[in-house]
Amino acid sequence: MSLNNSSNVFLDSTPSNTNRFQVNSSAAVNDNADPPHYEETSFGDEGQNRFRISFRPGNQECYDNFLQTGETAKTDASFHAYDSHTNTYYLQTFGHNTVDAVPKIEYYRNTGSVSGPKVNRPSLLDIHEQLAKNVSVAPGSADVVANGEGTPGDEQAENKGEDQAGAVKFGWVKGVLVRCMLNIWGVMLFIRLSWIVGEAGIGLGVLIILLSTMVTSITGLSTSAIATNGFVRGGGAYYLISRSLGPEFGGSIGLIFAFANAVAVAMYVVGFAETVVDLLKESDSMMVDPTNDIRIIGSITVVILLGISVAGMEWEAKAQVILLIILLIAIANFFIGTVIPSNNEKRARGFFNYQASIFAENFGPSFTKGEGFFSVFAIFFPAATGILAGANISGDLEDPQDAIPKGTMLAIFITTVAYIGVAICVGACVVRDATGSVNDTIISGMNCNGSAACGLGYDFSRCRHEPCQYGLMNNFQVMSMVSGFGPLITAGIFSATLSSALASLVSAPKVFQALCKDNIYKALQFFAKGYGKNNEPLRGYFLTFVIAMAFILIAELNTIAPIISNFFLASYALINFSCFHASYAKSPGWRPAYGIYNMWVSLFGAVLCCAVMFVINWWAAVITYVIEFFLYIYVTYKKPDVNWGSSTQALSYVSALDNALELTTVEDHVKNFRPQCIVLTGGPMTRPALLDIAHAFTKNSGLCICCEVFVGPRKLCVKEMNSGMAKKQAWLIKNKIKAFYAAVAADCFRDGVRSLLQASGLGRMKPNTLVIGYKKNWRKAPLTEIENYVGIIHDAFDFEIGVVIVRISQGFDISQVLQVQEELERLEQERLALEATIKDNESEEGNGGIRGLFKKAGKLNITKPTPKKDSGINTIQSMHIGEFNQKLVEASTQFKKKQGKGTIDVWWLFDDGGLTLLIPYILTLRKKWKDCKLRIYVGGKINRIEEEKIAMASLLSKFRIKFADIHVIGDINVKPNKESWKVFEEMIEPYRLHESCKDLTTAEKLKRETPWKITDAELEAVKEKSYRQVRLNELLQEHSRAANLIVLSLPVARKGSISDWLYMAWLEILTKNLPPVLLVRGNHKNVLTFYS
């Protein structure tokens, strides 16, 4: 096949040809004229199907004059991309009269994008070679071609996302701000904040609020940065963490985060039920007893909340707005109450309106027994959480990238101001201890000792000796007492608990659904299904309902509450760490639109969250870490088939790059030498045994590159090579082979290998050993193949790279077996498809009569496999699959199996630097070869066998290489027996020139015509070497026939002196009828040392 590179392929001078692009020359420009303004052109309005042109000042008139000539711009429907000679106005702006693509958002979408269809831009091959094709373009396809959406007839990716028509989407106020404020303003605001101020004082109380806010604010900034670094789908915290840190972290935290939200529903509902039960106690209206009443009210409440959630997000959002209004009224009611003059009853309970003396008295701490700053902080901190309530419904937000940062940060600010305002106000109005008795007034002449209440006319001194029921320290209903209308505070408590419960009831299924959709936990795939226009996770709602009901029926959540708080904190910590990690990895893809963040602040936030976990409850923190670690290990072990471009990948790349660069600054040392191999496997699946033996001595210690050379027309080779790269690397990963795959396209095999030998590797991680299979069919192979095979051995030595040639009895190539297997699998798939179609058609009813019969026949005809040539079946039969293939398959897996007790015989005949000894030693360290002992064979003189044996034993002991035995062979150079030599002569006979038997002229002519043949002169010159190869085979048959593996020094053929066929004959006779053989020759540089 040849490629026509003439200019006529790309340019057609014939005016009548309408199947080529042509760019019309532009009008001449007057040199004296002012420089022209550049026009701005929009590249087509898809909605109007017209080209639109906008002009800078001064260009409109020129365009109008042009249109007055009668030539008008064609519409998209009539524009012909290849019609370059009709009377048509062509826009000469970049991007139109070409298949080259202009930038469009459709090119950057994912295939399943719900925001619009993905469009495939033309490949480089399409653009590079499009003009060489004679393509017929149908009318109406011009916009597709001109804007680079692919050539006409290409099927574009369909939008596989769910139908989003009519889906309810929320803005940043209703979707994020409202939810976050409701979740942060919990019941703690109304019944615990006054106690915190009483214990810690106004000063430390505000500090506690600010510390909590610092944790949530840093987390909010990190969340905002991650949320604005690309399109955010549903899943909230799980989605943010998993897409940043990967499925291992995301999968582990996603599950416990969803569970924490589900249990939080029970916590909030029980809090609501306890308040209702307290009201029932006051009115003496108990149903059964306090515990069972909590269960009954809680169960009814969670059923109602479930109904609101299942009704849809729109109803849930309306309920949240109503609850927020109630909550805001309750908070406003408190602030109004602080300025309403207090009566005697409220004064007796410690409320005196704003008093400087009370503010001063309550400013400092007054911790009771068993309480301290961190214990009070641990009690308050859960009140500051809930900042992810908006992010958790990210899939239901109209613009998550805008809504999450804006709503979350504003919610944190508003709630913090409210918390600080309430703390200061309640601390300035109410004393710490009060008796509640209106008779405890000051007696004339009594010493107040600086007491604020005493100064205001009340004596609460007995609270120092006996417990009192009122005041900041004792009464959890202080806010109800202070407020203008007490029942509104109760309504606020109801609103806070129910809104938080509702938010958690929505968050848990949404996060859980996103986790299940990613199929990280296979058993949970059932809960991934969504229903309705909003893709509601109804199955997740009912699962959350069941979990919440179970914990409500327990009615005792004091034990589980710290664990849940730690679950939330663990997710905060990972969000902060995700932001830090993404920044630290320095990935070009990390470009958050929200720039108000700092990687070190995020890291500080992550550490702070971890510290707060132990402050809240140390054993709960330990349990959280254990659960998360277990889930992390599980997900890592399962290795979900996902690739989200996580920062973990980016950091791995940066680390690998830094380490590679660091290696280049250090000179290689013999102690650190390891075989780093180029293995000429072709496709790695076609020669598995060759790859297995190479992998055995490179796994976890050296570089292994599986290489393939594509020979042929460059265009076809490059296309085939590019299409198979990912598949073959994936095969290596699937089979747990720690190797790389590399391929080159070349004009001949030797050139390709030469390129690989020179260019493979990176820095110090460059190959130093070439591993090839023995060419078993060398006698039948063409001359060029033999020249290439021997030539790459010479090339490797020229580049100072060691060579390992591996020979096994059955050979390595199993490509024919793979073809047979693929054919059988295809036939089996077709058979199953046909059976399924027949079954479906038989099960159809109601299509009786002739019409139904024809319908069935039509369907059967479609799915029935079309009869093909018998070549596939004949191939199967001709291969004798029952016998030959079975042996070949067994041979291809022999190095995968554990080698039994036996020996690795090392024939270290020539000192090549030690590679011949190092490779078998490394093999004995492997699990599969550890039962094999090393036997060392060396050449020597017959009269010095014992001395040389002792010398070799001493050398091996210095190398610290264990061996079972050493044999010194003294008769290597003895002439082989006649039968062996006769076999060798018969082997080389077809390749001999026999010039000595011919006259000089004829001999010279034969040498010119067949220079590759073995001359008599050459054979005589190297006769001793030929004897040695034949004799070595005899010795190998005698000593190593039962070995598991033979490692033998590779003979080197001197370039220009030894013909290729003679060298192949040497290798053949040397390794004939033996167990697996490794012919090894190092690059004659030391790879072993006995120095420390």
Side-chain angles (χ1 to χ4, degrees):
M1 179 179 178
S2 63
L3 295 179
N4 187 354
N5 293 326
S6 67
S7 60
N8 293 332
V9 174
F10 300 96
L11 299 175
D12 195 341
S13 60
T14 306
S16 61
N17 190 343
T18 61
N19 287 327
R20 294 287 183 268
F21 285 119
Q22 178 176 327
V23 180
N24 295 337
S25 59
S26 57
V29 180
N30 188 353
D31 293 337
N32 297 325
D34 293 334
H37 295 285
Y38 294 100
E39 66 178 22
E40 295 177 347
T41 304
S42 62
F43 295 103
D45 186 344
E46 295 179 3
Q48 300 296 327
N49 273 335
R50 295 203 175 267
F51 293 118
R52 293 178 298 139
I53 308 177
S54 58
F55 296 88
R56 294 188 184 275
N59 285 337
Q60 179 68 52
E61 183 181 354
C62 176
Y63 179 71
D64 291 340
N65 292 336
F66 184 84
L67 288 182
Q68 287 172 6
T69 64
E71 294 182 344
T72 59
K74 287 191 177 183
T75 63
D76 288 2
S78 63
F79 177 71
H80 198 295
Y82 296 90
D83 184 8
S84 59
H85 297 280
T86 58
N87 189 19
T88 304
Y89 168 61
Y90 284 117
L91 297 174
Q92 296 179 7
T93 308
F94 171 78
H96 277 281
N97 199 14
T98 175
V99 294
D100 224 342
V102 296
K104 293 177 69 173
I105 191 174
E106 287 82 1
Y107 297 131
Y108 297 92
R109 287 196 177 107
N110 289 333
T111 302
S113 174
V114 297
S115 57
K118 172 179 172 57
V119 176
N120 293 323
R121 71 175 60 83
S123 67
L124 276 174
L125 187 65
D126 294 334
I127 295 172
H128 196 207
E129 300 185 357
Q130 184 66 34
L131 293 177
K133 298 178 182 178
N134 188 7
V135 182
S136 175
V137 185
S141 61
D143 185 60
V144 175
V145 178
N147 288 293
E149 295 176 6
T151 56
D154 288 349
E155 294 184 6
Q156 298 184 11
E158 297 291 337
N159 178 16
K160 298 181 181 178
E162 295 83 358
D163 183 12
Q164 296 295 305
V168 178
K169 296 292 184 180
F170 303 110
W172 71 274
V173 176
K174 189 183 287 188
V176 182
L177 180 65
V178 170
R179 294 173 186 280
C180 288
M181 288 172 63
L182 283 170
N183 239 27
I184 296 172
W185 277 334
V187 70
M188 190 76 67
L189 175 67
F190 298 103
I191 63 175
R192 282 292 187 275
L193 189 56
S194 58
W195 175 85
I196 289 169
V197 173
E199 289 283 346
I202 296 172
L204 289 182
V206 171
L207 181 62
I208 287 172
I209 295 171
L210 291 177
L211 279 175
S212 302
T213 302
M214 181 171 67
V215 175
T216 56
S217 296
I218 294 173
T219 306
L221 292 174
S222 299
T223 303
S224 300
I226 299 173
T228 57
N229 189 53
F231 183 76
V232 178
R233 297 183 186 272
Y238 159 72
Y239 185 89
L240 299 177
I241 294 172
S242 62
R243 267 50 177 186
S244 183
L245 288 179
E248 294 83 8
F249 283 103
S252 58
I253 201 64
L255 195 60
I256 65 175
F257 186 72
F259 177 76
N261 273 285
V263 178
V265 175
M267 291 175 58
Y268 295 129
V269 168
V270 168
F272 168 77
E274 285 178 348
T275 306
V276 175
V277 169
D278 288 341
L279 294 176
L280 292 176
K281 284 181 182 178
E282 292 177 5
S283 59
D284 197 20
S285 302
M286 298 290 294
M287 291 179 284
V288 185
D289 57 67
T291 301
N292 285 312
D293 282 4
I294 289 173
R295 289 170 178 162
I296 294 169
I297 296 169
S299 300
I300 296 171
T301 305
V302 79
V303 169
I304 295 172
L305 294 177
L306 177 66
I308 295 173
S309 300
V310 172
M313 289 295 294
E314 193 170 6
W315 286 95
E316 187 267 348
K318 291 177 181 177
Q320 292 281 30
V321 171
I322 294 171
L323 293 172
L324 178 62
I325 292 172
I326 296 172
L327 193 58
L328 290 173
I329 292 173
I331 295 173
N333 176 50
F334 164 76
F335 286 112
I336 292 171
T338 58
V339 297
I340 296 175
S342 179
N343 54 34
N344 290 335
E345 182 181 358
K346 289 185 177 182
R347 289 192 185 94
R349 294 183 178 183
F351 173 52
F352 296 94
N353 295 112
Y354 292 105
Q355 301 291 337
S357 58
I358 295 178
F359 180 88
E361 183 179 74
N362 290 342
F363 189 83
S366 180
F367 295 113
T368 55
K369 186 177 181 181
E371 300 294 347
F373 177 82
F374 288 109
S375 65
V376 174
F377 174 80
I379 292 171
F380 173 79
F381 183 80
T385 59
I387 61 171
L388 296 180
N392 286 340
I393 63 161
S394 53
D396 296 293
L397 299 176
E398 191 173 342
D399 185 4
Q401 291 179 291
D402 177 68
I404 292 175
K406 193 185 298 183
T408 303
M409 298 311 297
L410 186 58
I412 292 173
F413 175 76
I414 293 174
T415 53
T416 301
V417 170
Y419 273 127
I420 293 175
V422 170
I424 293 174
C425 289
V426 78
C429 296
V430 184
V431 296
R432 281 191 166 103
D433 296 296
T435 59
S437 173
V438 295
N439 298 321
D440 288 341
T441 55
I442 295 296
I443 302 173
S444 179
M446 182 177 178
N447 185 10
C448 291
N449 293 325
S451 170
C454 181
L456 295 170
Y458 280 82
D459 178 19
F460 299 143
S461 58
R462 62 189 176 96
C463 291
R464 300 173 186 172
H465 312 292
E466 60 183 60
C468 294
Q469 295 183 355
Y470 298 98
L472 295 176
M473 306 279 278
N474 311 300
N475 183 15
F476 292 153
Q477 303 298 326
V478 166
M479 288 192 68
S480 295
M481 177 190 69
V482 173
S483 65
F485 184 62
L488 279 178
I489 298 299
T490 303
I493 294 173
F494 288 171
S495 174
T497 52
L498 292 178
S499 63
S500 297
L502 193 56
S504 296
L505 185 57
V506 170
S507 296
K510 294 284 185 181
V511 173
F512 194 59
Q513 182 188 34
L515 177 67
C516 297
K517 274 186 176 180
D518 289 334
N519 205 20
I520 290 178
Y521 301 99
K522 305 284 186 184
L524 302 179
Q525 183 66 21
F526 173 79
F527 296 98
K529 184 174 176 58
Y531 296 87
K533 59 187 179 182
N534 264 35
N535 196 32
E536 296 289 349
L538 297 185
R539 295 175 179 178
Y541 280 132
F542 285 106
L543 177 64
T544 305
F545 170 76
V546 170
I547 294 172
M549 282 293 293
F551 283 96
I552 286 170
L553 294 177
I554 294 173
E556 181 57 52
L557 297 176
N558 289 339
T559 303
I560 197 72
I563 299 178
I564 301 306
S565 296
N566 276 283
F567 280 1
F568 285 120
L569 273 169
S571 64
Y572 293 175
L574 276 181
I575 287 175
N576 284 310
F577 184 73
S578 298
C579 184
F580 162 76
H581 201 267
S583 303
Y584 186 74
K586 301 173 184 175
S587 171
W590 174 248
R591 302 184 300 274
Y594 190 84
I596 309 174
Y597 76 95
N598 181 275
M599 58 184 287
W600 300 111
V601 172
S602 296
L603 179 62
F604 173 71
V607 174
L608 202 59
C609 288
C610 295
V612 171
M613 289 174 68
F614 283 95
V615 167
I616 290 177
N617 192 300
W618 69 267
W619 57 264
V622 171
I623 291 174
T624 303
Y625 283 124
V626 169
I627 294 173
E628 187 175 341
F629 180 73
F630 171 77
L631 292 173
Y632 177 87
I633 296 297
Y634 174 81
V635 176
T636 303
Y637 175 75
K638 289 296 183 180
K639 291 184 179 177
D641 187 19
V642 294
N643 182 9
W644 295 322
S646 66
S647 59
T648 306
Q649 295 175 347
L651 192 61
S652 297
Y653 175 84
V654 171
S655 299
L657 183 61
D658 289 342
N659 290 335
L661 291 171
E662 184 67 25
L663 277 176
T664 60
T665 64
V666 181
E667 289 294 329
D668 288 331
H669 194 280
V670 64
K671 287 195 296 184
N672 293 322
F673 177 88
R674 59 202 65 213
Q676 304 197 105
C677 300
I678 281 183
V679 189
L680 297 184
T681 58
M685 63 284 290
T686 60
R687 292 176 177 81
L690 179 62
L691 179 56
D692 289 337
I693 189 64
H695 188 241
F697 57 81
T698 59
K699 181 181 179 182
N700 296 329
S701 64
L703 179 68
C704 182
I705 307 176
C706 302
C707 296
E708 185 171 8
V709 179
F710 289 87
V711 179
R714 187 170 188 81
K715 175 183 171 183
L716 296 179
C717 288
V718 170
K719 185 175 181 181
E720 183 183 359
M721 179 179 71
N722 291 340
S723 63
M725 293 284 284
K727 178 183 176 182
K728 290 167 184 175
Q729 184 64 54
W731 184 90
L732 293 171
I733 296 171
K734 181 181 178 182
N735 288 273
K736 299 180 180 179
I737 297 175
K738 297 183 178 181
F740 300 96
Y741 172 76
V744 293
D747 295 331
C748 73
F749 181 71
R750 184 177 180 181
D751 287 345
V753 176
R754 190 183 288 124
S755 298
L756 289 167
L757 291 173
Q758 293 179 89
S760 296
L762 183 69
R764 297 292 181 197
M765 295 184 294
K766 291 184 70 69
N768 53 34
T769 306
L770 172 67
V771 181
I772 58 176
Y774 176 70
K775 191 168 184 61
K776 188 180 178 183
N777 65 338
W778 64 276
R779 300 187 203 187
K780 300 177 182 178
L783 172 63
T784 53
E785 288 189 13
I786 301 301
E787 289 177 344
N788 285 334
Y789 185 82
V790 178
I792 63 173
I793 298 175
H794 291 312
D795 292 337
F797 292 146
D798 288 343
F799 298 134
E800 296 187 341
I801 291 176
V803 175
V804 177
I805 301 177
V806 188
R807 180 174 185 178
I808 59 176
S809 58
Q810 296 296 328
F812 293 105
D813 191 356
I814 63 166
S815 55
Q816 289 182 326
V817 178
L818 296 177
Q819 290 175 5
V820 172
Q821 289 176 350
E822 290 176 2
E823 181 68 15
L824 293 175
E825 288 174 3
R826 186 188 63 80
L827 293 173
E828 180 66 12
Q829 289 174 357
E830 291 181 352
R831 183 186 67 80
L832 293 174
L834 181 60
E835 289 180 355
T837 304
I838 294 173
K839 187 177 179 180
D840 291 342
N841 285 314
E842 288 177 348
S843 64
E844 288 181 1
E845 296 181 1
N847 289 329
I850 297 176
R851 184 179 176 186
L853 182 62
F854 277 106
K855 202 169 185 180
K856 283 187 179 182
K859 288 186 178 180
L860 282 171
N861 190 40
I862 292 171
T863 55
K864 184 177 179 181
T866 57
K868 296 188 176 181
K869 295 180 181 179
D870 293 332
S871 59
I873 304 300
N874 291 337
T875 302
I876 297 173
Q877 293 173 352
S878 65
M879 287 179 63
H880 307 291
I881 190 170
E883 180 180 353
F884 174 74
N885 279 0
Q886 185 63 31
K887 290 182 179 178
L888 190 57
V889 169
E890 289 177 358
S892 70
T893 60
Q894 61 180 307
F895 297 126
K896 283 183 168 63
K897 303 172 184 176
K898 182 176 175 59
Q899 307 295 315
K901 289 186 177 180
T903 63
I904 299 176
D905 288 0
V906 182
W907 290 69
W908 194 15
L909 304 178
F910 310 107
D911 194 336
D912 58 351
L915 187 64
T916 308
L917 189 60
L918 181 62
I919 287 177
Y921 167 74
I922 294 175
L923 285 176
T924 60
L925 303 178
R926 306 305 184 198
K927 189 176 181 180
K928 292 184 178 69
W929 294 87
K930 67 177 183 179
D931 293 332
C932 295
K933 307 298 182 183
L934 291 183
R935 293 195 302 185
I936 311 299
Y937 293 83
V938 294
K941 297 179 181 179
I942 296 179
N943 58 351
R944 287 182 53 84
I945 287 179
E946 287 302 321
E947 291 87 341
E948 292 186 6
K949 186 175 183 179
I950 293 171
M952 179 55 62
S954 174
L955 179 61
L956 292 175
S957 64
K958 288 182 178 179
F959 286 148
R960 303 170 304 283
I961 291 178
K962 295 181 181 179
F963 57 91
D965 200 0
I966 295 177
H967 297 270
V968 178
I969 308 299
D971 54 351
I972 290 179
N973 292 321
V974 174
K975 189 176 180 180
N977 61 51
K978 293 181 179 180
E979 290 77 11
S980 300
W981 182 249
K982 185 178 180 180
V983 170
F984 178 73
E985 287 184 324
E986 290 174 352
M987 187 184 299
I988 63 174
E989 180 61 29
Y991 316 107
R992 292 187 60 181
L993 189 64
H994 289 296
E995 77 280 6
S996 59
C997 301
K998 300 175 178 62
D999 60 83
L1000 185 60
T1001 305
T1002 304
E1004 291 298 327
K1005 181 181 178 182
L1006 287 174
K1007 285 182 181 180
R1008 289 193 301 270
E1009 292 176 350
T1010 56
W1012 49 270
K1013 283 198 171 184
I1014 306 170
T1015 64
D1016 293 340
E1018 175 193 354
L1019 192 60
E1020 186 63 30
V1022 296
K1023 194 169 188 177
E1024 292 298 324
K1025 289 187 178 180
S1026 299
Y1027 281 159
R1028 185 189 305 150
Q1029 314 311 324
V1030 179
R1031 176 57 182 162
L1032 276 173
N1033 182 261
E1034 292 177 350
L1035 293 170
L1036 287 164
Q1037 297 283 353
E1038 178 184 348
H1039 294 279
S1040 300
R1041 187 67 184 268
N1044 294 55
L1045 180 70
I1046 298 173
V1047 181
L1048 174 65
S1049 293
L1050 171 69
V1052 177
R1054 185 171 297 174
K1055 276 197 300 185
S1057 300
I1058 308 297
S1059 61
D1060 297 338
W1061 295 99
L1062 179 59
Y1063 186 64
M1064 292 305 299
W1066 283 0
L1067 300 184
E1068 174 70 25
I1069 198 64
L1070 183 61
T1071 57
K1072 188 178 179 63
N1073 299 327
L1074 289 172
V1077 179
L1078 265 64
L1079 294 166
V1080 181
R1081 175 67 69 142
N1083 60 3
H1084 286 239
K1085 293 182 179 179
N1086 287 351
V1087 302
L1088 295 173
T1089 182
F1090 45 79
Y1091 294 107
S1092 59

